Amino acid sequence: MPEQKEYTEEDLKNMSSEEISELQKQNCIFCKIASKEIPSKIVHEDSDVICVLDINPASEGHILVFPKKHYMIMPHIPDDILSKVFKDVKLMSHTLLKTLQCKGTTVFVANGVAAGQRAPHVLIHVFPRRENDNLIQLPQYEMSDEQILKLKATLKPYLSQVFGRSNIKDAEFIEKKYSEEGKSNEAGDIEENNEEVKNEKEKPSEKKSAQKKSEKKDDDKNKSENSTKDKKVDLDDIAKLFG
Amino acid sequence: MECIICDKKFEKNILFENDKIIIMLAVEPSVNGHIQIFSKEHHTILEQIPDDILSMMISAANKMSIILFELLKVHGTNIIISNGVPAGQKIPHICIDILPRRTDDNLKLDWNLKQAAPEALDSIHQIIEEGMNKPEEKPLQIAEEKKSEKIQEKTETKKEEPSEVEEERPRERKTNYHHQMFDRIP
């Protein structure tokens, strides 16, 4: 952001994360586009969401869909706004397919600088795709059963916390089969009763993640094991990268 | 229609499932921790997903993003919907890809920033606006409803013709892009 260069790096370092986010909000180009301070080619607009043409298009017809309110990254957007945003994303994708005679569209969101985010305002890119256009192509590799099992052991207990009870039962047995072959800690914990399995599995993984944390972060901030607190810290860390 | 997701060919990858959505580890991941979110109901492309299910999927994508930040300690996530074969859609069952990203993962998902000429933007803007305002090209479902209404009207007046009409209609609809997409997906 050109406006931000008025502040020296020193100034930015001394600012709290709230001050920085306030500053970003004031200087945010996309907030200005939403309030029409900066002119743009508006394709569609409603009370919370605006769709404009990107001036640096990946392909002809590249549209940016974003909430008018300032959110840094997508996980910051509350569900009600998010569903409106993606309703418009669907509409824009549909519009591109029917008006530009393309055979596909890509919806792309980057959360964090590491993911390629360039502006501190969440942007949902929707752009037309054509054969051999050399745009985003995801590489692929095969995952071994061991890797699958390891990832599942890390993620699954948290998923059941966040999303509630899962319908899958058969998958548990498959998992059991694999873990019997391996020597993972979970093997002992798996029992016939699904609910017990979940309750018991949460514990070891919490320990695990706590261990990881202490290994990785020896700095002064000893994060509490409270997951909700961690959430906030981590999100802000992602957002802070825009200094 | 055969579908590797609906047929549960990759059950071992499933992390979570309820009656609306399936969250699973990507069958052929791009990075470690690559997650895919599918709708339980079979939908081939984005435009076919009902709004309520789409918002459930995307809200789940957001939550998964947070889980990945927390558990895998990644520096960012990409949320990608590859809609259609040219966009790199590999499974004919639309999904939301969530890619955990690290600063040193050497994955290039960017495009070159090249400013478009104002005239080019103007003309595209005009084409899109005109296309959006065209009344007859409303979403597929509405178009279908209208057609079925017409068919009903005809059945009331003439009794023998409707069968022909009904046979011809689907063929006409093939020109619709939804059907072109179906044909294209292997």
Side-chain angles (χ1 to χ4, degrees), chain A residues 30 43-44 48-54 62-68 77 84-93 107-109 121-126:
Chain A
F30 294 97
V43 181
H44 180 75
D48 298 305
V49 189
I50 186 164
C51 313
V52 301
L53 287 181
D54 194 334
H62 184 152
I63 294 174
L64 298 174
V65 183
F66 54 94
K68 289 184 172 176
I77 308 179
K84 283 181 192 170
V85 171
F86 271 82
K87 209 176 157 187
D88 281 358
V89 166
K90 198 171 99 175
L91 176 69
M92 286 305 112
S93 169
V107 179
F108 180 90
V109 186
H121 190 123
V122 62
L123 297 174
I124 292 102
H125 300 262
V126 186

PDB file of all heavy atoms in Angstrom, chain A residues 30 43-44 48-54 62-68 77 84-93 107-109 121-126:
ATOM      1  N   PHE A  30      -9.447  -1.751  -0.964  1.00  0.00           N
ATOM      2  CA  PHE A  30     -10.697  -2.448  -1.282  1.00  0.00           C
ATOM      3  C   PHE A  30     -11.872  -1.915  -0.464  1.00  0.00           C
ATOM      4  O   PHE A  30     -13.006  -1.970  -0.920  1.00  0.00           O
ATOM      5  CB  PHE A  30     -10.490  -3.957  -1.140  1.00  0.00           C
ATOM      6  CG  PHE A  30      -9.522  -4.456  -2.165  1.00  0.00           C
ATOM      7  CD1 PHE A  30      -8.188  -4.636  -1.864  1.00  0.00           C
ATOM      8  CD2 PHE A  30      -9.943  -4.684  -3.472  1.00  0.00           C
ATOM      9  CE1 PHE A  30      -7.290  -5.053  -2.826  1.00  0.00           C
ATOM     10  CE2 PHE A  30      -9.048  -5.093  -4.431  1.00  0.00           C
ATOM     11  CZ  PHE A  30      -7.718  -5.280  -4.116  1.00  0.00           C
ATOM     12  N   VAL A  43     -19.585  -5.097 -11.166  1.00  0.00           N
ATOM     13  CA  VAL A  43     -20.410  -6.034 -11.923  1.00  0.00           C
ATOM     14  C   VAL A  43     -21.713  -6.309 -11.190  1.00  0.00           C
ATOM     15  O   VAL A  43     -22.776  -6.426 -11.779  1.00  0.00           O
ATOM     16  CB  VAL A  43     -19.641  -7.360 -12.143  1.00  0.00           C
ATOM     17  CG1 VAL A  43     -20.468  -8.330 -12.950  1.00  0.00           C
ATOM     18  CG2 VAL A  43     -18.325  -7.096 -12.850  1.00  0.00           C
ATOM     19  N   HIS A  44     -21.600  -6.417  -9.865  1.00  0.00           N
ATOM     20  CA  HIS A  44     -22.776  -6.766  -9.069  1.00  0.00           C
ATOM     21  C   HIS A  44     -22.551  -6.241  -7.658  1.00  0.00           C
ATOM     22  O   HIS A  44     -21.421  -6.183  -7.195  1.00  0.00           O
ATOM     23  CB  HIS A  44     -22.964  -8.288  -9.062  1.00  0.00           C
ATOM     24  CG  HIS A  44     -24.141  -8.753  -8.262  1.00  0.00           C
ATOM     25  ND1 HIS A  44     -25.432  -8.615  -8.704  1.00  0.00           N
ATOM     26  CD2 HIS A  44     -24.204  -9.331  -7.032  1.00  0.00           C
ATOM     27  CE1 HIS A  44     -26.249  -9.107  -7.778  1.00  0.00           C
ATOM     28  NE2 HIS A  44     -25.537  -9.544  -6.765  1.00  0.00           N
ATOM     29  N   ASP A  48     -24.003  -6.220   1.461  1.00  0.00           N
ATOM     30  CA  ASP A  48     -22.780  -6.658   2.143  1.00  0.00           C
ATOM     31  C   ASP A  48     -21.627  -7.025   1.222  1.00  0.00           C
ATOM     32  O   ASP A  48     -20.496  -7.113   1.660  1.00  0.00           O
ATOM     33  CB  ASP A  48     -23.088  -7.888   3.017  1.00  0.00           C
ATOM     34  CG  ASP A  48     -24.093  -7.568   4.088  1.00  0.00           C
ATOM     35  OD1 ASP A  48     -23.842  -6.631   4.846  1.00  0.00           O
ATOM     36  OD2 ASP A  48     -25.137  -8.243   4.142  1.00  0.00           O
ATOM     37  N   VAL A  49     -21.960  -7.295  -0.030  1.00  0.00           N
ATOM     38  CA  VAL A  49     -20.952  -7.864  -0.921  1.00  0.00           C
ATOM     39  C   VAL A  49     -20.845  -7.019  -2.188  1.00  0.00           C
ATOM     40  O   VAL A  49     -21.841  -6.448  -2.645  1.00  0.00           O
ATOM     41  CB  VAL A  49     -21.331  -9.314  -1.320  1.00  0.00           C
ATOM     42  CG1 VAL A  49     -20.196  -9.977  -2.053  1.00  0.00           C
ATOM     43  CG2 VAL A  49     -21.715 -10.125  -0.100  1.00  0.00           C
ATOM     44  N   ILE A  50     -19.631  -6.945  -2.729  1.00  0.00           N
ATOM     45  CA  ILE A  50     -19.454  -6.240  -3.992  1.00  0.00           C
ATOM     46  C   ILE A  50     -18.599  -7.088  -4.934  1.00  0.00           C
ATOM     47  O   ILE A  50     -17.683  -7.781  -4.486  1.00  0.00           O
ATOM     48  CB  ILE A  50     -18.848  -4.833  -3.732  1.00  0.00           C
ATOM     49  CG1 ILE A  50     -18.782  -4.008  -5.020  1.00  0.00           C
ATOM     50  CG2 ILE A  50     -17.481  -4.904  -3.083  1.00  0.00           C
ATOM     51  CD1 ILE A  50     -18.580  -2.522  -4.782  1.00  0.00           C
ATOM     52  N   CYS A  51     -18.937  -7.083  -6.227  1.00  0.00           N
ATOM     53  CA  CYS A  51     -18.188  -7.842  -7.225  1.00  0.00           C
ATOM     54  C   CYS A  51     -17.657  -6.856  -8.260  1.00  0.00           C
ATOM     55  O   CYS A  51     -18.455  -6.154  -8.886  1.00  0.00           O
ATOM     56  CB  CYS A  51     -19.064  -8.865  -7.923  1.00  0.00           C
ATOM     57  SG  CYS A  51     -20.072  -9.856  -6.821  1.00  0.00           S
ATOM     58  N   VAL A  52     -16.346  -6.792  -8.427  1.00  0.00           N
ATOM     59  CA  VAL A  52     -15.755  -5.862  -9.389  1.00  0.00           C
ATOM     60  C   VAL A  52     -14.787  -6.604 -10.311  1.00  0.00           C
ATOM     61  O   VAL A  52     -14.314  -7.684  -9.976  1.00  0.00           O
ATOM     62  CB  VAL A  52     -14.985  -4.716  -8.682  1.00  0.00           C
ATOM     63  CG1 VAL A  52     -15.907  -3.928  -7.771  1.00  0.00           C
ATOM     64  CG2 VAL A  52     -13.792  -5.236  -7.914  1.00  0.00           C
ATOM     65  N   LEU A  53     -14.482  -5.990 -11.450  1.00  0.00           N
ATOM     66  CA  LEU A  53     -13.472  -6.553 -12.336  1.00  0.00           C
ATOM     67  C   LEU A  53     -12.092  -6.248 -11.760  1.00  0.00           C
ATOM     68  O   LEU A  53     -11.827  -5.135 -11.318  1.00  0.00           O
ATOM     69  CB  LEU A  53     -13.585  -5.939 -13.731  1.00  0.00           C
ATOM     70  CG  LEU A  53     -14.759  -6.371 -14.598  1.00  0.00           C
ATOM     71  CD1 LEU A  53     -14.679  -5.683 -15.950  1.00  0.00           C
ATOM     72  CD2 LEU A  53     -14.792  -7.881 -14.791  1.00  0.00           C
ATOM     73  N   ASP A  54     -11.220  -7.259 -11.792  1.00  0.00           N
ATOM     74  CA  ASP A  54      -9.840  -7.078 -11.333  1.00  0.00           C
ATOM     75  C   ASP A  54      -9.066  -6.317 -12.408  1.00  0.00           C
ATOM     76  O   ASP A  54      -9.141  -6.673 -13.583  1.00  0.00           O
ATOM     77  CB  ASP A  54      -9.201  -8.461 -11.083  1.00  0.00           C
ATOM     78  CG  ASP A  54      -7.913  -8.366 -10.296  1.00  0.00           C
ATOM     79  OD1 ASP A  54      -7.264  -7.309 -10.361  1.00  0.00           O
ATOM     80  OD2 ASP A  54      -7.561  -9.345  -9.625  1.00  0.00           O
ATOM     81  N   HIS A  62     -11.750 -11.665 -15.177  1.00  0.00           N
ATOM     82  CA  HIS A  62     -11.402 -11.954 -13.780  1.00  0.00           C
ATOM     83  C   HIS A  62     -12.200 -11.031 -12.846  1.00  0.00           C
ATOM     84  O   HIS A  62     -12.110  -9.821 -12.934  1.00  0.00           O
ATOM     85  CB  HIS A  62      -9.899 -11.738 -13.623  1.00  0.00           C
ATOM     86  CG  HIS A  62      -9.347 -12.085 -12.280  1.00  0.00           C
ATOM     87  ND1 HIS A  62      -8.056 -12.486 -12.115  1.00  0.00           N
ATOM     88  CD2 HIS A  62      -9.888 -12.101 -11.048  1.00  0.00           C
ATOM     89  CE1 HIS A  62      -7.819 -12.726 -10.839  1.00  0.00           C
ATOM     90  NE2 HIS A  62      -8.928 -12.489 -10.162  1.00  0.00           N
ATOM     91  N   ILE A  63     -12.978 -11.631 -11.956  1.00  0.00           N
ATOM     92  CA  ILE A  63     -13.821 -10.857 -11.050  1.00  0.00           C
ATOM     93  C   ILE A  63     -13.363 -11.056  -9.608  1.00  0.00           C
ATOM     94  O   ILE A  63     -12.974 -12.166  -9.226  1.00  0.00           O
ATOM     95  CB  ILE A  63     -15.308 -11.289 -11.191  1.00  0.00           C
ATOM     96  CG1 ILE A  63     -15.821 -10.911 -12.572  1.00  0.00           C
ATOM     97  CG2 ILE A  63     -16.182 -10.634 -10.122  1.00  0.00           C
ATOM     98  CD1 ILE A  63     -17.223 -11.409 -12.858  1.00  0.00           C
ATOM     99  N   LEU A  64     -13.384  -9.981  -8.831  1.00  0.00           N
ATOM    100  CA  LEU A  64     -13.107 -10.068  -7.398  1.00  0.00           C
ATOM    101  C   LEU A  64     -14.426  -9.935  -6.648  1.00  0.00           C
ATOM    102  O   LEU A  64     -15.175  -8.999  -6.882  1.00  0.00           O
ATOM    103  CB  LEU A  64     -12.183  -8.937  -6.959  1.00  0.00           C
ATOM    104  CG  LEU A  64     -10.787  -8.886  -7.583  1.00  0.00           C
ATOM    105  CD1 LEU A  64     -10.076  -7.624  -7.134  1.00  0.00           C
ATOM    106  CD2 LEU A  64      -9.989 -10.106  -7.174  1.00  0.00           C
ATOM    107  N   VAL A  65     -14.696 -10.883  -5.779  1.00  0.00           N
ATOM    108  CA  VAL A  65     -15.883 -10.803  -4.932  1.00  0.00           C
ATOM    109  C   VAL A  65     -15.384 -10.609  -3.507  1.00  0.00           C
ATOM    110  O   VAL A  65     -14.524 -11.361  -3.056  1.00  0.00           O
ATOM    111  CB  VAL A  65     -16.712 -12.107  -5.015  1.00  0.00           C
ATOM    112  CG1 VAL A  65     -17.983 -11.987  -4.199  1.00  0.00           C
ATOM    113  CG2 VAL A  65     -17.039 -12.447  -6.459  1.00  0.00           C
ATOM    114  N   PHE A  66     -15.862  -9.571  -2.827  1.00  0.00           N
ATOM    115  CA  PHE A  66     -15.418  -9.400  -1.444  1.00  0.00           C
ATOM    116  C   PHE A  66     -16.469  -8.700  -0.594  1.00  0.00           C
ATOM    117  O   PHE A  66     -17.299  -7.958  -1.097  1.00  0.00           O
ATOM    118  CB  PHE A  66     -14.067  -8.667  -1.375  1.00  0.00           C
ATOM    119  CG  PHE A  66     -14.003  -7.341  -2.091  1.00  0.00           C
ATOM    120  CD1 PHE A  66     -14.238  -6.161  -1.406  1.00  0.00           C
ATOM    121  CD2 PHE A  66     -13.686  -7.281  -3.434  1.00  0.00           C
ATOM    122  CE1 PHE A  66     -14.154  -4.933  -2.057  1.00  0.00           C
ATOM    123  CE2 PHE A  66     -13.613  -6.064  -4.094  1.00  0.00           C
ATOM    124  CZ  PHE A  66     -13.849  -4.889  -3.407  1.00  0.00           C
ATOM    125  N   PRO A  67     -16.432  -8.984   0.721  1.00  0.00           N
ATOM    126  CA  PRO A  67     -17.366  -8.315   1.623  1.00  0.00           C
ATOM    127  C   PRO A  67     -16.987  -6.848   1.747  1.00  0.00           C
ATOM    128  O   PRO A  67     -15.811  -6.508   1.714  1.00  0.00           O
ATOM    129  CB  PRO A  67     -17.173  -9.055   2.951  1.00  0.00           C
ATOM    130  CG  PRO A  67     -15.838  -9.672   2.866  1.00  0.00           C
ATOM    131  CD  PRO A  67     -15.544  -9.926   1.428  1.00  0.00           C
ATOM    132  N   LYS A  68     -17.997  -5.988   1.887  1.00  0.00           N
ATOM    133  CA  LYS A  68     -17.702  -4.557   1.989  1.00  0.00           C
ATOM    134  C   LYS A  68     -16.990  -4.232   3.294  1.00  0.00           C
ATOM    135  O   LYS A  68     -16.181  -3.334   3.361  1.00  0.00           O
ATOM    136  CB  LYS A  68     -19.001  -3.761   1.883  1.00  0.00           C
ATOM    137  CG  LYS A  68     -19.572  -3.786   0.479  1.00  0.00           C
ATOM    138  CD  LYS A  68     -20.800  -2.927   0.369  1.00  0.00           C
ATOM    139  CE  LYS A  68     -21.236  -2.824  -1.072  1.00  0.00           C
ATOM    140  NZ  LYS A  68     -22.496  -2.066  -1.199  1.00  0.00           N
ATOM    141  N   ILE A  77     -14.390 -13.993   8.482  1.00  0.00           N
ATOM    142  CA  ILE A  77     -15.740 -13.629   8.036  1.00  0.00           C
ATOM    143  C   ILE A  77     -16.770 -14.488   8.769  1.00  0.00           C
ATOM    144  O   ILE A  77     -16.670 -15.710   8.760  1.00  0.00           O
ATOM    145  CB  ILE A  77     -15.907 -13.840   6.516  1.00  0.00           C
ATOM    146  CG1 ILE A  77     -14.782 -13.149   5.752  1.00  0.00           C
ATOM    147  CG2 ILE A  77     -17.253 -13.318   6.032  1.00  0.00           C
ATOM    148  CD1 ILE A  77     -14.863 -13.342   4.252  1.00  0.00           C
ATOM    149  N   LYS A  84     -23.492 -15.150   2.004  1.00  0.00           N
ATOM    150  CA  LYS A  84     -23.858 -14.159   0.989  1.00  0.00           C
ATOM    151  C   LYS A  84     -22.748 -14.002  -0.043  1.00  0.00           C
ATOM    152  O   LYS A  84     -22.997 -13.899  -1.238  1.00  0.00           O
ATOM    153  CB  LYS A  84     -24.121 -12.799   1.640  1.00  0.00           C
ATOM    154  CG  LYS A  84     -25.457 -12.708   2.333  1.00  0.00           C
ATOM    155  CD  LYS A  84     -25.633 -11.317   2.914  1.00  0.00           C
ATOM    156  CE  LYS A  84     -26.816 -11.287   3.853  1.00  0.00           C
ATOM    157  NZ  LYS A  84     -26.874 -10.029   4.611  1.00  0.00           N
ATOM    158  N   VAL A  85     -21.505 -13.980   0.461  1.00  0.00           N
ATOM    159  CA  VAL A  85     -20.362 -13.826  -0.439  1.00  0.00           C
ATOM    160  C   VAL A  85     -20.349 -14.965  -1.453  1.00  0.00           C
ATOM    161  O   VAL A  85     -20.209 -14.746  -2.653  1.00  0.00           O
ATOM    162  CB  VAL A  85     -19.035 -13.792   0.356  1.00  0.00           C
ATOM    163  CG1 VAL A  85     -17.848 -13.848  -0.576  1.00  0.00           C
ATOM    164  CG2 VAL A  85     -18.953 -12.546   1.218  1.00  0.00           C
ATOM    165  N   PHE A  86     -20.547 -16.189  -0.960  1.00  0.00           N
ATOM    166  CA  PHE A  86     -20.421 -17.319  -1.879  1.00  0.00           C
ATOM    167  C   PHE A  86     -21.648 -17.513  -2.765  1.00  0.00           C
ATOM    168  O   PHE A  86     -21.545 -18.139  -3.817  1.00  0.00           O
ATOM    169  CB  PHE A  86     -20.009 -18.593  -1.143  1.00  0.00           C
ATOM    170  CG  PHE A  86     -18.520 -18.688  -1.077  1.00  0.00           C
ATOM    171  CD1 PHE A  86     -17.826 -17.993  -0.100  1.00  0.00           C
ATOM    172  CD2 PHE A  86     -17.800 -19.383  -2.036  1.00  0.00           C
ATOM    173  CE1 PHE A  86     -16.446 -18.016  -0.067  1.00  0.00           C
ATOM    174  CE2 PHE A  86     -16.419 -19.418  -2.006  1.00  0.00           C
ATOM    175  CZ  PHE A  86     -15.748 -18.727  -1.024  1.00  0.00           C
ATOM    176  N   LYS A  87     -22.769 -16.948  -2.334  1.00  0.00           N
ATOM    177  CA  LYS A  87     -23.915 -16.912  -3.232  1.00  0.00           C
ATOM    178  C   LYS A  87     -23.557 -16.068  -4.460  1.00  0.00           C
ATOM    179  O   LYS A  87     -23.843 -16.431  -5.594  1.00  0.00           O
ATOM    180  CB  LYS A  87     -25.102 -16.287  -2.486  1.00  0.00           C
ATOM    181  CG  LYS A  87     -26.437 -16.770  -2.949  1.00  0.00           C
ATOM    182  CD  LYS A  87     -27.512 -16.174  -2.076  1.00  0.00           C
ATOM    183  CE  LYS A  87     -28.817 -16.168  -2.840  1.00  0.00           C
ATOM    184  NZ  LYS A  87     -29.864 -15.464  -2.129  1.00  0.00           N
ATOM    185  N   ASP A  88     -22.880 -14.952  -4.185  1.00  0.00           N
ATOM    186  CA  ASP A  88     -22.453 -14.089  -5.283  1.00  0.00           C
ATOM    187  C   ASP A  88     -21.325 -14.720  -6.093  1.00  0.00           C
ATOM    188  O   ASP A  88     -21.252 -14.537  -7.308  1.00  0.00           O
ATOM    189  CB  ASP A  88     -22.019 -12.717  -4.747  1.00  0.00           C
ATOM    190  CG  ASP A  88     -23.218 -11.844  -4.434  1.00  0.00           C
ATOM    191  OD1 ASP A  88     -24.346 -12.303  -4.665  1.00  0.00           O
ATOM    192  OD2 ASP A  88     -23.027 -10.711  -3.943  1.00  0.00           O
ATOM    193  N   VAL A  89     -20.457 -15.462  -5.422  1.00  0.00           N
ATOM    194  CA  VAL A  89     -19.391 -16.158  -6.148  1.00  0.00           C
ATOM    195  C   VAL A  89     -20.016 -17.112  -7.162  1.00  0.00           C
ATOM    196  O   VAL A  89     -19.608 -17.177  -8.321  1.00  0.00           O
ATOM    197  CB  VAL A  89     -18.477 -16.932  -5.172  1.00  0.00           C
ATOM    198  CG1 VAL A  89     -17.595 -17.923  -5.916  1.00  0.00           C
ATOM    199  CG2 VAL A  89     -17.617 -15.973  -4.371  1.00  0.00           C
ATOM    200  N   LYS A  90     -21.036 -17.825  -6.714  1.00  0.00           N
ATOM    201  CA  LYS A  90     -21.713 -18.772  -7.596  1.00  0.00           C
ATOM    202  C   LYS A  90     -22.346 -18.036  -8.775  1.00  0.00           C
ATOM    203  O   LYS A  90     -22.218 -18.455  -9.922  1.00  0.00           O
ATOM    204  CB  LYS A  90     -22.787 -19.519  -6.786  1.00  0.00           C
ATOM    205  CG  LYS A  90     -23.264 -20.786  -7.422  1.00  0.00           C
ATOM    206  CD  LYS A  90     -24.144 -21.567  -6.457  1.00  0.00           C
ATOM    207  CE  LYS A  90     -25.593 -21.338  -6.746  1.00  0.00           C
ATOM    208  NZ  LYS A  90     -26.462 -22.182  -5.894  1.00  0.00           N
ATOM    209  N   LEU A  91     -22.996 -16.908  -8.459  1.00  0.00           N
ATOM    210  CA  LEU A  91     -23.623 -16.104  -9.509  1.00  0.00           C
ATOM    211  C   LEU A  91     -22.589 -15.600 -10.512  1.00  0.00           C
ATOM    212  O   LEU A  91     -22.804 -15.651 -11.728  1.00  0.00           O
ATOM    213  CB  LEU A  91     -24.368 -14.925  -8.862  1.00  0.00           C
ATOM    214  CG  LEU A  91     -25.007 -13.913  -9.802  1.00  0.00           C
ATOM    215  CD1 LEU A  91     -26.179 -14.556 -10.534  1.00  0.00           C
ATOM    216  CD2 LEU A  91     -25.470 -12.683  -9.039  1.00  0.00           C
ATOM    217  N   MET A  92     -21.444 -15.155 -10.012  1.00  0.00           N
ATOM    218  CA  MET A  92     -20.408 -14.624 -10.892  1.00  0.00           C
ATOM    219  C   MET A  92     -19.840 -15.727 -11.772  1.00  0.00           C
ATOM    220  O   MET A  92     -19.621 -15.530 -12.961  1.00  0.00           O
ATOM    221  CB  MET A  92     -19.269 -14.002 -10.060  1.00  0.00           C
ATOM    222  CG  MET A  92     -19.600 -12.680  -9.439  1.00  0.00           C
ATOM    223  SD  MET A  92     -20.160 -11.482 -10.645  1.00  0.00           S
ATOM    224  CE  MET A  92     -21.842 -11.289 -10.186  1.00  0.00           C
ATOM    225  N   SER A  93     -19.602 -16.886 -11.176  1.00  0.00           N
ATOM    226  CA  SER A  93     -19.081 -18.011 -11.945  1.00  0.00           C
ATOM    227  C   SER A  93     -20.068 -18.372 -13.058  1.00  0.00           C
ATOM    228  O   SER A  93     -19.688 -18.585 -14.208  1.00  0.00           O
ATOM    229  CB  SER A  93     -18.847 -19.186 -11.009  1.00  0.00           C
ATOM    230  OG  SER A  93     -18.590 -20.350 -11.726  1.00  0.00           O
ATOM    231  N   VAL A 107     -12.268 -20.619  -8.593  1.00  0.00           N
ATOM    232  CA  VAL A 107     -12.503 -19.757  -7.440  1.00  0.00           C
ATOM    233  C   VAL A 107     -11.282 -19.912  -6.559  1.00  0.00           C
ATOM    234  O   VAL A 107     -10.897 -21.032  -6.222  1.00  0.00           O
ATOM    235  CB  VAL A 107     -13.777 -20.181  -6.687  1.00  0.00           C
ATOM    236  CG1 VAL A 107     -13.997 -19.300  -5.469  1.00  0.00           C
ATOM    237  CG2 VAL A 107     -14.980 -20.140  -7.601  1.00  0.00           C
ATOM    238  N   PHE A 108     -10.653 -18.792  -6.235  1.00  0.00           N
ATOM    239  CA  PHE A 108      -9.360 -18.851  -5.553  1.00  0.00           C
ATOM    240  C   PHE A 108      -9.335 -17.881  -4.377  1.00  0.00           C
ATOM    241  O   PHE A 108      -9.650 -16.702  -4.537  1.00  0.00           O
ATOM    242  CB  PHE A 108      -8.259 -18.499  -6.559  1.00  0.00           C
ATOM    243  CG  PHE A 108      -6.861 -18.526  -6.008  1.00  0.00           C
ATOM    244  CD1 PHE A 108      -6.116 -19.687  -6.047  1.00  0.00           C
ATOM    245  CD2 PHE A 108      -6.292 -17.382  -5.458  1.00  0.00           C
ATOM    246  CE1 PHE A 108      -4.816 -19.717  -5.541  1.00  0.00           C
ATOM    247  CE2 PHE A 108      -4.993 -17.406  -4.951  1.00  0.00           C
ATOM    248  CZ  PHE A 108      -4.265 -18.570  -4.996  1.00  0.00           C
ATOM    249  N   VAL A 109      -8.977 -18.382  -3.220  1.00  0.00           N
ATOM    250  CA  VAL A 109      -8.831 -17.531  -2.043  1.00  0.00           C
ATOM    251  C   VAL A 109      -7.470 -17.810  -1.428  1.00  0.00           C
ATOM    252  O   VAL A 109      -7.071 -18.963  -1.313  1.00  0.00           O
ATOM    253  CB  VAL A 109      -9.915 -17.828  -0.984  1.00  0.00           C
ATOM    254  CG1 VAL A 109      -9.833 -16.824   0.154  1.00  0.00           C
ATOM    255  CG2 VAL A 109     -11.297 -17.807  -1.583  1.00  0.00           C
ATOM    256  N   HIS A 121      -7.140  -7.328   2.584  1.00  0.00           N
ATOM    257  CA  HIS A 121      -8.608  -7.398   2.617  1.00  0.00           C
ATOM    258  C   HIS A 121      -8.952  -8.704   1.911  1.00  0.00           C
ATOM    259  O   HIS A 121      -8.445  -8.960   0.826  1.00  0.00           O
ATOM    260  CB  HIS A 121      -9.189  -6.197   1.856  1.00  0.00           C
ATOM    261  CG  HIS A 121     -10.683  -6.023   2.014  1.00  0.00           C
ATOM    262  ND1 HIS A 121     -11.247  -4.872   2.494  1.00  0.00           N
ATOM    263  CD2 HIS A 121     -11.717  -6.845   1.734  1.00  0.00           C
ATOM    264  CE1 HIS A 121     -12.577  -4.988   2.510  1.00  0.00           C
ATOM    265  NE2 HIS A 121     -12.886  -6.189   2.049  1.00  0.00           N
ATOM    266  N   VAL A 122      -9.772  -9.508   2.524  1.00  0.00           N
ATOM    267  CA  VAL A 122     -10.043 -10.811   1.920  1.00  0.00           C
ATOM    268  C   VAL A 122     -10.682 -10.632   0.539  1.00  0.00           C
ATOM    269  O   VAL A 122     -11.585  -9.820   0.359  1.00  0.00           O
ATOM    270  CB  VAL A 122     -10.918 -11.688   2.846  1.00  0.00           C
ATOM    271  CG1 VAL A 122     -12.266 -11.071   3.103  1.00  0.00           C
ATOM    272  CG2 VAL A 122     -11.086 -13.078   2.266  1.00  0.00           C
ATOM    273  N   LEU A 123     -10.151 -11.353  -0.450  1.00  0.00           N
ATOM    274  CA  LEU A 123     -10.652 -11.257  -1.822  1.00  0.00           C
ATOM    275  C   LEU A 123     -10.936 -12.657  -2.339  1.00  0.00           C
ATOM    276  O   LEU A 123     -10.114 -13.551  -2.182  1.00  0.00           O
ATOM    277  CB  LEU A 123      -9.604 -10.620  -2.739  1.00  0.00           C
ATOM    278  CG  LEU A 123      -9.172  -9.190  -2.456  1.00  0.00           C
ATOM    279  CD1 LEU A 123      -8.024  -8.815  -3.380  1.00  0.00           C
ATOM    280  CD2 LEU A 123     -10.316  -8.217  -2.636  1.00  0.00           C
ATOM    281  N   ILE A 124     -12.093 -12.842  -2.943  1.00  0.00           N
ATOM    282  CA  ILE A 124     -12.368 -14.120  -3.581  1.00  0.00           C
ATOM    283  C   ILE A 124     -12.254 -13.901  -5.087  1.00  0.00           C
ATOM    284  O   ILE A 124     -13.011 -13.130  -5.672  1.00  0.00           O
ATOM    285  CB  ILE A 124     -13.743 -14.681  -3.182  1.00  0.00           C
ATOM    286  CG1 ILE A 124     -13.729 -15.077  -1.710  1.00  0.00           C
ATOM    287  CG2 ILE A 124     -14.091 -15.934  -3.990  1.00  0.00           C
ATOM    288  CD1 ILE A 124     -14.378 -14.127  -0.805  1.00  0.00           C
ATOM    289  N   HIS A 125     -11.256 -14.553  -5.684  1.00  0.00           N
ATOM    290  CA  HIS A 125     -11.030 -14.400  -7.115  1.00  0.00           C
ATOM    291  C   HIS A 125     -11.895 -15.397  -7.857  1.00  0.00           C
ATOM    292  O   HIS A 125     -11.906 -16.572  -7.520  1.00  0.00           O
ATOM    293  CB  HIS A 125      -9.565 -14.687  -7.465  1.00  0.00           C
ATOM    294  CG  HIS A 125      -8.587 -13.788  -6.774  1.00  0.00           C
ATOM    295  ND1 HIS A 125      -8.047 -12.686  -7.390  1.00  0.00           N
ATOM    296  CD2 HIS A 125      -8.063 -13.814  -5.522  1.00  0.00           C
ATOM    297  CE1 HIS A 125      -7.220 -12.079  -6.549  1.00  0.00           C
ATOM    298  NE2 HIS A 125      -7.210 -12.750  -5.402  1.00  0.00           N
ATOM    299  N   VAL A 126     -12.595 -14.929  -8.880  1.00  0.00           N
ATOM    300  CA  VAL A 126     -13.329 -15.836  -9.770  1.00  0.00           C
ATOM    301  C   VAL A 126     -12.876 -15.501 -11.173  1.00  0.00           C
ATOM    302  O   VAL A 126     -13.033 -14.363 -11.603  1.00  0.00           O
ATOM    303  CB  VAL A 126     -14.852 -15.627  -9.658  1.00  0.00           C
ATOM    304  CG1 VAL A 126     -15.596 -16.666 -10.470  1.00  0.00           C
ATOM    305  CG2 VAL A 126     -15.312 -15.675  -8.213  1.00  0.00           C
TER     306      VAL A 126
END
